[in-house]
Structures are given as C-alpha cells and as structure tokens.
mmCIF file of all heavy atoms in Angstrom:
data_model
loop_
_atom_site.group_PDB
_atom_site.id
_atom_site.type_symbol
_atom_site.label_atom_id
_atom_site.label_comp_id
_atom_site.label_asym_id
_atom_site.label_seq_id
_atom_site.Cartn_x
_atom_site.Cartn_y
_atom_site.Cartn_z
ATOM 1 N N GLY F 1485 -15.234 -3.477 3.929
ATOM 2 C CA GLY F 1485 -15.143 -3.967 2.563
ATOM 3 C C GLY F 1485 -14.670 -2.960 1.541
ATOM 4 O O GLY F 1485 -14.860 -3.167 0.337
ATOM 5 N N ILE F 1486 -14.058 -1.846 1.990
ATOM 6 C CA ILE F 1486 -13.562 -0.866 1.029
ATOM 7 C C ILE F 1486 -12.053 -0.700 1.193
ATOM 8 O O ILE F 1486 -11.476 -1.033 2.226
ATOM 9 C CB ILE F 1486 -14.270 0.493 1.193
ATOM 10 C CG1 ILE F 1486 -14.013 1.090 2.576
ATOM 11 C CG2 ILE F 1486 -15.757 0.367 0.936
ATOM 12 C CD1 ILE F 1486 -14.581 2.475 2.738
ATOM 13 N N VAL F 1487 -11.425 -0.186 0.157
ATOM 14 C CA VAL F 1487 -9.968 -0.010 0.149
ATOM 15 C C VAL F 1487 -9.604 1.116 1.108
ATOM 16 O O VAL F 1487 -10.164 2.208 1.055
ATOM 17 C CB VAL F 1487 -9.467 0.304 -1.270
ATOM 18 C CG1 VAL F 1487 -7.973 0.590 -1.258
ATOM 19 C CG2 VAL F 1487 -9.784 -0.850 -2.213
ATOM 20 N N SER F 1488 -8.642 0.858 1.973
ATOM 21 C CA SER F 1488 -8.209 1.857 2.945
ATOM 22 C C SER F 1488 -7.080 2.707 2.377
ATOM 23 O O SER F 1488 -6.487 2.394 1.344
ATOM 24 C CB SER F 1488 -7.727 1.167 4.225
ATOM 25 O OG SER F 1488 -6.541 0.425 3.956
ATOM 26 N N ASN F 1489 -6.768 3.771 3.087
ATOM 27 C CA ASN F 1489 -5.644 4.631 2.715
ATOM 28 C C ASN F 1489 -4.343 3.830 2.683
ATOM 29 O O ASN F 1489 -3.512 3.988 1.775
ATOM 30 C CB ASN F 1489 -5.548 5.784 3.712
ATOM 31 C CG ASN F 1489 -4.636 6.907 3.241
ATOM 32 O OD1 ASN F 1489 -4.641 7.280 2.070
ATOM 33 N ND2 ASN F 1489 -3.850 7.440 4.154
ATOM 34 N N ARG F 1490 -4.160 2.978 3.663
ATOM 35 C CA ARG F 1490 -2.972 2.126 3.744
ATOM 36 C C ARG F 1490 -2.828 1.270 2.487
ATOM 37 O O ARG F 1490 -1.756 1.203 1.867
ATOM 38 C CB ARG F 1490 -3.103 1.235 4.992
ATOM 39 C CG ARG F 1490 -2.088 0.131 5.117
ATOM 40 C CD ARG F 1490 -2.438 -0.775 6.287
ATOM 41 N NE ARG F 1490 -3.442 -1.781 5.949
ATOM 42 C CZ ARG F 1490 -3.172 -2.955 5.413
ATOM 43 N NH1 ARG F 1490 -1.928 -3.290 5.130
ATOM 44 N NH2 ARG F 1490 -4.139 -3.818 5.158
ATOM 45 N N GLN F 1491 -3.898 0.616 2.094
ATOM 46 C CA GLN F 1491 -3.865 -0.268 0.929
ATOM 47 C C GLN F 1491 -3.667 0.518 -0.362
ATOM 48 O O GLN F 1491 -2.935 0.092 -1.255
ATOM 49 C CB GLN F 1491 -5.158 -1.073 0.867
ATOM 50 C CG GLN F 1491 -5.318 -2.072 2.000
ATOM 51 C CD GLN F 1491 -6.714 -2.667 2.066
ATOM 52 O OE1 GLN F 1491 -7.710 -1.973 1.807
ATOM 53 N NE2 GLN F 1491 -6.811 -3.934 2.408
ATOM 54 N N GLN F 1492 -4.304 1.684 -0.444
ATOM 55 C CA GLN F 1492 -4.191 2.490 -1.659
ATOM 56 C C GLN F 1492 -2.775 3.003 -1.845
ATOM 57 O O GLN F 1492 -2.250 3.011 -2.960
ATOM 58 C CB GLN F 1492 -5.168 3.661 -1.594
ATOM 59 C CG GLN F 1492 -5.350 4.365 -2.938
ATOM 60 C CD GLN F 1492 -6.027 3.464 -3.969
ATOM 61 O OE1 GLN F 1492 -7.094 2.926 -3.728
ATOM 62 N NE2 GLN F 1492 -5.391 3.288 -5.115
ATOM 63 N N TRP F 1493 -2.144 3.414 -0.751
ATOM 64 C CA TRP F 1493 -0.767 3.892 -0.838
ATOM 65 C C TRP F 1493 0.161 2.799 -1.354
ATOM 66 O O TRP F 1493 1.000 3.041 -2.226
ATOM 67 C CB TRP F 1493 -0.295 4.368 0.539
ATOM 68 C CG TRP F 1493 -0.363 5.847 0.694
ATOM 69 C CD1 TRP F 1493 -1.430 6.584 1.109
ATOM 70 C CD2 TRP F 1493 0.674 6.782 0.419
ATOM 71 N NE1 TRP F 1493 -1.121 7.919 1.110
ATOM 72 C CE2 TRP F 1493 0.163 8.069 0.693
ATOM 73 C CE3 TRP F 1493 1.980 6.654 -0.029
ATOM 74 C CZ2 TRP F 1493 0.926 9.227 0.532
ATOM 75 C CZ3 TRP F 1493 2.747 7.809 -0.187
ATOM 76 C CH2 TRP F 1493 2.218 9.069 0.086
ATOM 77 N N GLU F 1494 0.033 1.605 -0.810
ATOM 78 C CA GLU F 1494 0.915 0.525 -1.247
ATOM 79 C C GLU F 1494 0.683 0.194 -2.720
ATOM 80 O O GLU F 1494 1.630 -0.029 -3.485
ATOM 81 C CB GLU F 1494 0.712 -0.718 -0.383
ATOM 82 C CG GLU F 1494 1.694 -1.835 -0.721
ATOM 83 C CD GLU F 1494 1.632 -2.992 0.260
ATOM 84 O OE1 GLU F 1494 0.845 -2.930 1.225
ATOM 85 O OE2 GLU F 1494 2.378 -3.967 0.053
ATOM 86 N N HIS F 1495 -0.580 0.172 -3.124
ATOM 87 C CA HIS F 1495 -0.910 -0.129 -4.517
ATOM 88 C C HIS F 1495 -0.317 0.914 -5.464
ATOM 89 O O HIS F 1495 0.241 0.583 -6.516
ATOM 90 C CB HIS F 1495 -2.425 -0.186 -4.691
ATOM 91 C CG HIS F 1495 -2.872 -0.406 -6.102
ATOM 92 N ND1 HIS F 1495 -3.083 0.641 -6.984
ATOM 93 C CD2 HIS F 1495 -3.133 -1.541 -6.810
ATOM 94 C CE1 HIS F 1495 -3.456 0.164 -8.157
ATOM 95 N NE2 HIS F 1495 -3.498 -1.157 -8.083
ATOM 96 N N ASP F 1496 -0.411 2.193 -5.078
ATOM 97 C CA ASP F 1496 -0.015 3.277 -5.979
ATOM 98 C C ASP F 1496 1.475 3.602 -5.937
ATOM 99 O O ASP F 1496 2.027 4.063 -6.946
ATOM 100 C CB ASP F 1496 -0.795 4.553 -5.633
ATOM 101 C CG ASP F 1496 -2.285 4.444 -5.916
ATOM 102 O OD1 ASP F 1496 -2.686 3.497 -6.634
ATOM 103 O OD2 ASP F 1496 -3.050 5.286 -5.406
ATOM 104 N N ASN F 1497 2.130 3.390 -4.786
ATOM 105 C CA ASN F 1497 3.448 3.993 -4.598
ATOM 106 C C ASN F 1497 4.582 3.050 -4.209
ATOM 107 O O ASN F 1497 5.751 3.456 -4.270
ATOM 108 C CB ASN F 1497 3.350 5.095 -3.520
ATOM 109 C CG ASN F 1497 2.407 6.206 -3.905
ATOM 110 O OD1 ASN F 1497 2.607 6.874 -4.912
ATOM 111 N ND2 ASN F 1497 1.356 6.408 -3.110
ATOM 112 N N TRP F 1498 4.286 1.821 -3.795
ATOM 113 C CA TRP F 1498 5.344 0.954 -3.291
ATOM 114 C C TRP F 1498 6.447 0.742 -4.327
ATOM 115 O O TRP F 1498 7.648 0.823 -4.011
ATOM 116 C CB TRP F 1498 4.775 -0.381 -2.833
ATOM 117 C CG TRP F 1498 5.826 -1.342 -2.354
ATOM 118 C CD1 TRP F 1498 6.247 -2.484 -2.974
ATOM 119 C CD2 TRP F 1498 6.605 -1.250 -1.149
ATOM 120 N NE1 TRP F 1498 7.227 -3.108 -2.233
ATOM 121 C CE2 TRP F 1498 7.474 -2.364 -1.108
ATOM 122 C CE3 TRP F 1498 6.660 -0.329 -0.110
ATOM 123 C CZ2 TRP F 1498 8.378 -2.573 -0.073
ATOM 124 C CZ3 TRP F 1498 7.562 -0.533 0.928
ATOM 125 C CH2 TRP F 1498 8.403 -1.649 0.935
ATOM 126 N N ALA F 1499 6.093 0.511 -5.560
ATOM 127 C CA ALA F 1499 7.100 0.220 -6.594
ATOM 128 C C ALA F 1499 8.062 1.386 -6.782
ATOM 129 O O ALA F 1499 9.238 1.188 -7.110
ATOM 130 C CB ALA F 1499 6.405 -0.116 -7.915
ATOM 131 N N ASP F 1500 7.587 2.613 -6.553
ATOM 132 C CA ASP F 1500 8.433 3.791 -6.762
ATOM 133 C C ASP F 1500 9.427 4.010 -5.630
ATOM 134 O O ASP F 1500 10.460 4.665 -5.839
ATOM 135 C CB ASP F 1500 7.562 5.048 -6.903
ATOM 136 C CG ASP F 1500 6.731 5.044 -8.176
ATOM 137 O OD1 ASP F 1500 7.154 4.406 -9.156
ATOM 138 O OD2 ASP F 1500 5.657 5.668 -8.176
ATOM 139 N N PHE F 1501 9.138 3.490 -4.445
ATOM 140 C CA PHE F 1501 9.959 3.812 -3.281
ATOM 141 C C PHE F 1501 10.620 2.607 -2.616
ATOM 142 O O PHE F 1501 11.483 2.774 -1.753
ATOM 143 C CB PHE F 1501 9.104 4.551 -2.242
ATOM 144 C CG PHE F 1501 8.590 5.880 -2.710
ATOM 145 C CD1 PHE F 1501 7.280 6.028 -3.135
ATOM 146 C CD2 PHE F 1501 9.425 6.980 -2.744
ATOM 147 C CE1 PHE F 1501 6.806 7.254 -3.577
ATOM 148 C CE2 PHE F 1501 8.961 8.217 -3.184
ATOM 149 C CZ PHE F 1501 7.650 8.354 -3.604
ATOM 150 N N ALA F 1502 10.247 1.414 -3.002
ATOM 151 C CA ALA F 1502 10.740 0.215 -2.310
ATOM 152 C C ALA F 1502 12.260 0.131 -2.301
ATOM 153 O O ALA F 1502 12.871 -0.253 -1.290
ATOM 154 C CB ALA F 1502 10.144 -1.034 -2.955
ATOM 155 N N ASP F 1503 12.906 0.485 -3.399
ATOM 156 C CA ASP F 1503 14.359 0.355 -3.490
ATOM 157 C C ASP F 1503 15.098 1.340 -2.603
ATOM 158 O O ASP F 1503 16.279 1.117 -2.269
ATOM 159 C CB ASP F 1503 14.818 0.543 -4.940
ATOM 160 C CG ASP F 1503 14.396 -0.606 -5.843
ATOM 161 O OD1 ASP F 1503 14.067 -1.686 -5.301
ATOM 162 O OD2 ASP F 1503 14.390 -0.426 -7.071
ATOM 163 N N VAL F 1504 14.447 2.417 -2.197
ATOM 164 C CA VAL F 1504 15.118 3.458 -1.415
ATOM 165 C C VAL F 1504 14.965 3.215 0.086
ATOM 166 O O VAL F 1504 15.816 3.610 0.880
ATOM 167 C CB VAL F 1504 14.548 4.850 -1.785
ATOM 168 C CG1 VAL F 1504 15.332 5.960 -1.094
ATOM 169 C CG2 VAL F 1504 14.579 5.045 -3.295
ATOM 170 N N ILE F 1505 13.905 2.550 0.479
ATOM 171 C CA ILE F 1505 13.639 2.328 1.902
ATOM 172 C C ILE F 1505 14.611 1.288 2.460
ATOM 173 O O ILE F 1505 14.772 0.200 1.905
ATOM 174 C CB ILE F 1505 12.187 1.856 2.108
ATOM 175 C CG1 ILE F 1505 11.216 2.967 1.681
ATOM 176 C CG2 ILE F 1505 11.938 1.457 3.557
ATOM 177 C CD1 ILE F 1505 9.766 2.541 1.652
ATOM 178 N N GLU F 1506 15.275 1.634 3.564
ATOM 179 C CA GLU F 1506 16.201 0.725 4.244
ATOM 180 C C GLU F 1506 15.816 0.659 5.720
ATOM 181 O O GLU F 1506 15.901 1.664 6.434
ATOM 182 C CB GLU F 1506 17.644 1.208 4.104
ATOM 183 C CG GLU F 1506 18.185 1.168 2.687
ATOM 184 C CD GLU F 1506 19.641 1.569 2.612
ATOM 185 O OE1 GLU F 1506 20.207 1.980 3.657
ATOM 186 O OE2 GLU F 1506 20.229 1.473 1.516
ATOM 187 N N VAL F 1507 15.410 -0.527 6.174
ATOM 188 C CA VAL F 1507 14.891 -0.702 7.532
ATOM 189 C C VAL F 1507 15.867 -1.541 8.344
ATOM 190 O O VAL F 1507 16.192 -2.676 7.973
ATOM 191 C CB VAL F 1507 13.505 -1.375 7.521
ATOM 192 C CG1 VAL F 1507 12.920 -1.412 8.931
ATOM 193 C CG2 VAL F 1507 12.561 -0.647 6.564
ATOM 194 N N ASN F 1508 16.313 -1.000 9.457
ATOM 195 C CA ASN F 1508 17.226 -1.720 10.343
ATOM 196 C C ASN F 1508 16.458 -2.646 11.278
ATOM 197 O O ASN F 1508 15.227 -2.568 11.384
ATOM 198 C CB ASN F 1508 18.057 -0.725 11.156
ATOM 199 C CG ASN F 1508 18.921 0.166 10.275
ATOM 200 O OD1 ASN F 1508 19.648 -0.328 9.413
ATOM 201 N ND2 ASN F 1508 18.833 1.471 10.479
ATOM 202 N N ASP F 1509 17.182 -3.521 11.961
ATOM 203 C CA ASP F 1509 16.536 -4.504 12.831
ATOM 204 C C ASP F 1509 15.754 -3.866 13.975
ATOM 205 O O ASP F 1509 14.816 -4.473 14.505
ATOM 206 C CB ASP F 1509 17.581 -5.463 13.403
ATOM 207 C CG ASP F 1509 18.168 -6.384 12.338
ATOM 208 O OD1 ASP F 1509 17.532 -6.523 11.270
ATOM 209 O OD2 ASP F 1509 19.255 -6.942 12.559
#
C-alpha cells in the first residue's frame, strides 16, 4: 500500500523525458 520507486519515478520525471525516449518494436 505504499508508493514504490517505479511509481515515484514516473510521477516525478515522465513529463521531462517522454518526448526523448524512442522505443523500437
């Protein structure tokens, strides 16, 4: 029932890096 490292990272940082990440098939 507590926030994990995974969840905290996405909450804090996804908006800053989403446009740069490019994932192939």
Side-chain angles (χ1 to χ4, degrees):
I1486 62 175
V1487 176
S1488 67
N1489 194 41
R1490 170 187 83 86
Q1491 293 169 323
Q1492 193 66 54
W1493 260 87
E1494 185 172 359
H1495 177 272
D1496 293 345
N1497 299 300
W1498 178 251
D1500 292 333
F1501 296 102
D1503 291 342
V1504 186
I1505 296 172
E1506 294 184 355
V1507 186
N1508 298 309
D1509 291 341

